[in-house]
Amino acid sequence: MFLSPTSRCLSTLCGVRAGDIVYFHRYPKVVSPKSDFESAVLSVTRVIDSNIFHVALVCDNRESSSLDSTDGAGTTVVHAVPASGVVSESLASAVRKLAPDAIEICSIAKSVGDRAADGAAAWALQQRGAAYNDIFSPDCRDSKDRRAFYCCQLVDHAYRTALEEKIFPKHELNFLDSIGTLNSYWSDYFEVRDRIVPQGLPGSHPSILRSSSLNSTKSYVPVEKMRTFAVPRNILETLHFVGGSRISVATGSKFKVFEPRNGGILTECNSAEAPQVDEVAKLARKAQEDWAMTPTNERGAILRRVSDLIREHVEVISRWEVRDNGKPINEARSDVLSCADTFEYFSAVDLSGSYFPLSDRDSRLAYTRREPLGVVGAVGAWNYPIQTATWKIAPAIACGNAIIYKPSPLAPVSSVILAHLLQFAGVPDGIVNILQGEGETGKAICESKLIDKVSFTGSVGTGKRILKSCAERNVKSVTLELGGKSSCIIMPDADLEMAVSGAMMANFYSQGQVCSNASRVLVHRSILEEFTSRLAKRTSAMRVGDPFHDATHVGASITAEHVKKVSGYIDQAVKQGAKLVCGGEPIRPEGLENGYYLSPCVLSDVTSSMTVYHEEIFGAVLLVIPFESDEEALRIANDTEFGLANGIFTNDLKKANSFANKLHSGTVYINTFNDVSPHVPFGGYKQSGFGRENGRASIENYTQVKSVFVNTSGALEDPFPA
């Protein structure tokens, strides 16, 4: 398990060591129990004047699994839990799963010695894998006759074995409430197991352990006081996040992750393969069944908590986004805050159906239900790492789905931080899973029969392969948000300074690495010279440099190879006759000479015979293209296989709306560019994909509609009369 802020806080407060006992408290009459089982346990504890419902033993070792957990050392406990038997995990994980109101950590070592405490912890660890003693038998056997323990029995036996004597008070099992009546839960519980209630048999109880004078309290900590989100210090050690924990994958090809800002290696990671994808999909499916049954208002409350946490921690998340992607810190902050807005929007998702009266007397009717799809597979892009993840995760889980998200291997860190934050906010384990990998991992997600939908953001070529993969083994819903070759039209009546700002907005955010960018800026010939002059002056003044500096306008491109690709487009355009107005030069900021920097570029004299006119450059390269009539501007703007976005700057709103009707793109901007909102759908026409992110339209992508016909008349006409 990962070293969470909770476990770090506990270690600091308590000086925790092996053999310490952790008691889990529930405040009486304040918070309702988290399960029927816990409620039944507490009904007994109140008889003996205690609110302790669980106990665990601190140990030094860590749990292993088929997907080895390597999240770093922390306070680790071994305990017996009904769902899993005897397991070891981080104390932070145990606290998260059992959700006590407070924990109390007590030392036994002061009374019995360090050697006995170490021996008890070591013995308890050896019992991992044993079943849960569901019938509380004194001989440590469960209802299926397997070796088994319940929580306090494990701790009692651990110290009894280490010291070769019983040190905790004797106790007779009690299943009666405060008035001496058998709790109905327990009678049903044992009847299902074909056992009589073991009233009065030798046993133990967490409260009985705590009543021993051997306990020396180290800390009593209300859980809320120790819950502070922080990015794990060892976040880069392993980047797969599955079932609530970061895990390593030993198989699969290894890829390196570079930090665009300085060109250094940020981390390395193995790609998940098809078997791991299916394993995670099974885990997600199991978690999703409960999540889908959670009322939408409860899911919404968790998403609002996510939104609040993002705003509280915007600075640290933004700095990681810079390391992941290279964009300027101010842009990263805007991206992260937009994620908070997105989670807030989807926290109030409307999943209501429709009602259809089918007869005048309402004896026949129909209605629709909007239901989750199940497990969503999503493949993200590197240009907006955390925003792309949010646009897919937020609507998917708001609708009751679980999700397996694969970020780009070029920018894999931000989504893992987001997953930690979602877990901290209360999203159940297994609902949001992050699998890292390259193309083969994405293909495995698309081909898995255990995944019900795929959402992809990226290039047209990859989108086509994803669509093919999703259809080859089983048909599934697909959303594709692909590339673009947008135009920004500057009419002669436009405010020139405003239009120049708009053209720069349409091209230079995120080093020009934006799918909706309008690399083709169409300028009416009557204002061409003045517009180009102002544009060149302002573009040349943009500051390229360290993305951590607030004054920086242009940060680092994603890779050295991408810089070469963008530079290649510029060189080719000049050879084909374009004029280099400004920019397009490699930049070597002091101290960051190995980073990937390129000054923003403006090209003029661009014609339709040039490669840059047709292809998506995905870099800070602005093409100035003249036009003389409205018809010519529309023809140029629509002369592309893409259809993601277009824009127009004019003071004539009637003309602007006319253009909006005639431009072949999923989004049209009027006197602005590259605006987004969680309320408004975003997606493309033509080769730019299909389906929509954000808004009500995205809800339709992550749900399916069930129609229900009802006859309340009490009669049904014979369909085949004699």
Side-chain angles (χ1 to χ4, degrees):
M1 300 295 175
F2 70 96
L3 179 59
S4 75
T6 302
S7 59
R8 287 200 297 273
C9 175
L10 289 172
S11 296
T12 302
L13 288 174
C14 311
V16 178
R17 73 171 317 280
D20 287 351
I21 299 177
V22 184
Y23 296 100
F24 291 69
H25 290 255
R26 174 77 61 224
Y27 296 151
K29 300 179 181 179
V30 175
V31 180
S32 60
K34 303 300 180 182
S35 68
D36 291 339
F37 182 86
E38 181 190 319
S39 178
V41 172
L42 286 171
S43 73
V44 176
T45 65
R46 290 173 188 136
V47 174
I48 52 180
D49 193 26
S50 174
N51 58 5
I52 301 172
F53 68 93
H54 187 73
V55 64
L57 194 64
V58 175
C59 59
D60 289 327
N61 296 334
R62 295 171 53 77
E63 180 181 17
S64 63
S65 65
S66 59
L67 298 173
D68 294 331
S69 178
T70 59
D71 287 312
T75 301
T76 309
V77 296
V78 58
H79 59 153
V81 289
S84 308
V86 179
V87 298
S88 64
E89 60 184 323
S90 71
L91 177 54
S93 175
V95 167
R96 187 179 68 250
K97 292 174 181 177
L98 296 172
D101 295 317
I103 61 170
E104 181 182 14
I105 300 180
C106 293
S107 171
I108 302 295
K110 290 183 179 180
S111 301
V112 301
D114 290 347
R115 179 176 295 182
D118 290 338
W123 183 89
L125 278 170
Q126 293 172 3
Q127 312 313 309
R128 287 180 298 180
Y132 184 78
N133 188 352
D134 59 339
I135 55 175
F136 309 102
S137 65
D139 58 353
C140 301
R141 311 297 294 184
D142 72 352
S143 58
K144 297 180 180 179
D145 199 32
R146 299 173 297 185
R147 182 165 176 78
F149 300 89
Y150 53 93
C151 65
C152 45
Q153 187 180 49
L154 178 69
V155 176
D156 189 0
H157 276 62
Y159 271 101
R160 183 188 303 186
T161 303
L163 292 166
E164 298 183 347
E165 64 175 316
K166 183 174 177 61
I167 64 170
F168 292 107
K170 293 182 179 180
H171 175 66
E172 294 180 351
L173 293 175
N174 173 52
F175 299 92
L176 306 180
D177 61 21
S178 58
I179 60 174
T181 302
L182 179 64
N183 186 305
S184 60
Y185 174 87
W186 291 121
S187 59
D188 294 341
Y189 179 93
F190 286 102
E191 182 178 350
V192 168
R193 290 161 177 79
D194 196 25
R195 295 289 196 280
I196 62 172
V197 178
Q199 178 71 20
L201 290 183
S204 187
H205 190 282
S207 298
I208 296 301
L209 297 188
R210 180 62 189 88
S211 69
S212 170
S213 61
L214 297 174
N215 288 282
S216 175
T217 300
K218 288 184 173 182
S219 294
Y220 182 94
V221 188
V223 170
E224 283 304 314
K225 288 189 177 181
M226 61 188 189
R227 284 179 58 83
T228 302
F229 175 76
V231 176
R233 290 173 294 182
N234 59 348
I235 187 72
L236 295 175
E237 290 182 11
T238 181
L239 295 175
H240 301 275
F241 185 93
V242 175
S245 299
R246 280 185 294 122
I247 54 115
S248 64
V249 174
T251 59
S253 60
K254 179 175 287 188
F255 60 91
K256 294 180 179 179
V257 181
F258 292 88
E259 185 169 357
R261 175 177 172 268
N262 56 29
I265 296 176
L266 192 60
T267 187
E268 295 183 353
C269 187
N270 285 82
S271 296
E273 297 181 313
Q276 281 98 27
V277 170
D278 282 347
E279 182 179 348
V280 175
K282 290 176 184 177
L283 178 151
R285 176 80 61 190
K286 184 176 181 180
Q288 187 270 336
E289 291 173 357
D290 290 336
W291 181 242
M293 298 300 293
T294 303
T296 54
N297 63 320
E298 293 184 19
R299 296 201 299 257
I302 294 174
L303 265 61
R304 284 191 294 277
R305 175 64 173 149
V306 172
S307 177
D308 292 342
L309 284 168
I310 291 173
R311 292 189 176 103
E312 290 172 19
H313 300 281
V314 60
E315 191 62 27
V316 66
I317 299 172
S318 299
R319 293 185 72 83
W320 274 106
E321 184 81 345
V322 170
R323 296 192 69 186
D324 213 15
N325 169 270
K327 66 178 58 186
I329 185 68
N330 284 324
E331 287 189 33
R333 291 186 187 112
S334 296
D335 292 352
V336 173
L337 288 172
S338 78
C339 294
D341 294 340
T342 300
F343 277 104
E344 183 175 24
Y345 171 79
F346 285 109
S347 72
V349 62
D350 178 11
L351 297 177
S352 59
S354 301
Y355 168 77
F356 305 91
L358 302 180
S359 70
D360 293 339
R361 297 180 180 179
D362 286 339
S363 60
R364 299 181 75 94
L365 58 93
Y367 64 90
T368 60
R369 288 172 47 87
R370 191 167 287 280
E371 299 179 346
L373 296 169
V375 178
V376 173
V379 180
W382 50 259
N383 56 333
Y384 284 85
I386 197 166
Q387 189 181 75
T388 304
T390 295
W391 281 17
K392 299 182 188 302
I393 292 172
I397 66 174
C399 293
N401 300 288
I403 188 167
I404 300 172
Y405 182 78
K406 190 198 85 66
S408 166
L410 300 180
V413 181
S414 296
S415 57
V416 184
I417 294 171
L418 179 61
H420 274 296
L421 187 143
L422 287 161
Q423 180 193 54
F424 186 85
V427 175
D429 295 346
I431 297 301
V432 176
N433 306 280
I434 310 295
L435 282 182
Q436 305 289 349
E438 299 179 287
E440 287 303 308
T441 306
K443 183 179 180 182
I445 289 173
C446 295
E447 293 182 349
S448 174
K449 293 183 178 180
L450 302 175
I451 292 175
D452 304 292
K453 177 197 172 60
V454 169
S455 176
F456 170 71
T457 297
S459 70
V460 173
T462 303
K464 289 179 178 179
R465 290 193 294 272
I466 281 178
L467 195 58
K468 181 180 179 181
S469 294
C470 286
E472 281 185 340
R473 294 190 63 187
N474 61 317
V475 176
K476 63 185 68 173
S477 170
V478 179
T479 297
L480 298 177
E481 197 269 276
L482 307 178
K485 188 67 177 179
S486 306
S487 293
C488 179
I489 303 168
I490 313 299
M491 302 303 290
D493 67 330
D495 180 294
L496 273 188
E497 279 302 300
M498 183 177 175
V500 169
S501 295
M504 296 173 73
M505 289 171 62
N507 279 278
F508 298 147
Y509 280 144
S510 195
Q511 297 73 251
Q513 300 163 153
V514 184
C515 54
S516 57
N517 265 4
S519 60
R520 300 195 298 190
V521 177
L522 314 184
V523 184
H524 194 273
R525 194 173 293 277
S526 65
I527 58 171
L528 179 63
E529 184 176 347
E530 178 66 17
F531 177 88
T532 305
S533 174
R534 294 191 188 193
L535 175 65
K537 182 178 180 180
R538 289 179 57 181
T539 301
S540 298
M542 294 182 72
R543 290 182 289 273
V544 183
D546 189 344
F548 278 138
H549 292 170
D550 283 331
T552 295
H553 296 133
V554 181
S557 298
I558 191 66
T559 63
E561 291 74 18
H562 192 70
V563 171
K564 292 178 183 177
K565 179 182 177 182
V566 175
S567 297
Y569 273 116
I570 297 170
D571 293 342
Q572 184 184 39
V574 172
K575 289 179 181 178
Q576 292 175 343
K579 177 183 177 182
L580 178 61
V581 177
C582 65
E585 301 169 344
I587 304 294
R588 298 286 181 264
E590 184 178 353
L592 300 172
E593 288 82 3
N594 293 323
Y596 316 133
Y597 298 89
L598 188 69
S599 62
C601 173
V602 175
L603 295 173
S604 65
D605 298 345
V606 175
T607 67
S608 61
S609 63
M610 299 176 184
T611 303
V612 292
Y613 179 94
H614 298 282
E615 295 185 7
E616 183 179 30
I617 302 169
F618 220 64
V621 181
L622 187 158
L623 315 177
V624 178
I625 302 172
F627 72 91
E628 295 188 358
S629 67
D630 293 358
E631 293 73 21
E632 184 182 13
L634 282 168
R635 179 185 59 77
I636 295 173
N638 289 330
D639 181 22
T640 174
E641 64 177 352
F642 300 102
L644 193 55
N646 282 295
I648 181 171
F649 279 79
T650 177
N651 286 321
D652 186 344
L653 290 182
K654 182 178 180 181
K655 176 176 288 189
N657 283 299
S658 175
F659 267 66
N661 293 336
K662 297 173 183 177
L663 289 166
H664 302 162
S665 57
T667 299
V668 174
Y669 299 103
I670 298 175
N671 293 328
T672 186
F673 213 96
N674 274 335
D675 292 353
V676 293
S677 167
H679 298 263
V680 183
F682 181 83
Y685 286 8
K686 300 187 284 188
Q687 296 298 297
S688 291
F690 49 79
R692 292 295 182 267
E693 311 265 27
N694 292 335
R696 175 70 185 178
S698 67
I699 299 303
E700 296 170 0
N701 289 333
Y702 289 103
T703 56
Q704 51 196 344
V705 176
K706 176 183 290 181
S707 298
V708 181
F709 288 82
V710 182
N711 174 14
T712 64
S713 68
L716 189 64
E717 181 179 323
D718 184 351
F720 307 109

